[in-house]
Amino acid sequence: QVQLVESGGGWVQAGGSLRLSCAASGRSFSSYTMGWFRQAPGKEGKFVVAISWSGGSTFYADSVKGRFTISRDTAKNTVSLQMNSLKPEDTAVYYCAADRSPNPVRYDYWGQGTQVTVSS
């Protein structure tokens, strides 16, 4: 079992930055693929970024490439998402997710989400 808790959301003006963190508890965290997803009001959830268990591979949605950076600290059991050059369309609830598969189709574990609001 893995439990995930996100933090770091908030309000920021367009062009600003925020850093989200996801704290994981449970065994074998270092073997899990970690991802971030987001859901805007009235819309379906969308994939944002994922990082491999080793941290050596990352995959970004086109909409955030060059602006967002994912990283993980296995020693601290955390995954971070640095978000720069934020746009109003980045406004959403952001969810951290974990899965044992190296290429998850459906993530097994989810956090409760953290709100990110970007004003124009």
Side-chain angles (χ1 to χ4, degrees):
Q1 285 284 345
V2 174
Q3 292 182 325
L4 306 172
V5 178
E6 302 96 334
S7 61
W11 177 90
V12 66
Q13 287 188 324
S17 299
L18 282 174
R19 186 176 181 86
L20 305 183
S21 291
C22 174
S25 61
R27 296 185 297 178
S28 303
F29 165 76
S30 60
S31 65
Y32 283 72
T33 298
M34 302 298 296
W36 286 94
F37 292 75
R38 65 186 182 186
Q39 186 169 19
K43 297 186 178 181
E44 292 184 351
K46 289 188 176 182
F47 169 81
V48 176
V49 61
I51 187 166
S52 64
W53 66 272
S54 67
S57 296
T58 56
F59 184 75
Y60 292 87
D62 288 343
S63 58
V64 305
K65 279 182 182 177
R67 300 188 299 122
F68 290 12
T69 303
I70 189 172
S71 60
R72 68 189 297 165
D73 186 332
T74 302
K76 296 182 178 179
N77 278 11
T78 59
V79 174
S80 298
L81 182 63
Q82 178 67 41
M83 305 185 296
N84 298 328
S85 302
L86 283 161
K87 304 175 181 180
E89 51 263 44
D90 294 318
T91 294
V93 177
Y94 283 70
Y95 297 90
C96 176
D99 195 87
R100 294 181 185 87
S101 171
N103 295 292
V105 174
R106 192 176 294 179
Y107 283 72
D108 285 335
Y109 304 100
W110 294 83
Q112 83 290 349
T114 185
Q115 176 70 46
V116 171
T117 302
V118 185
S119 65
S120 58

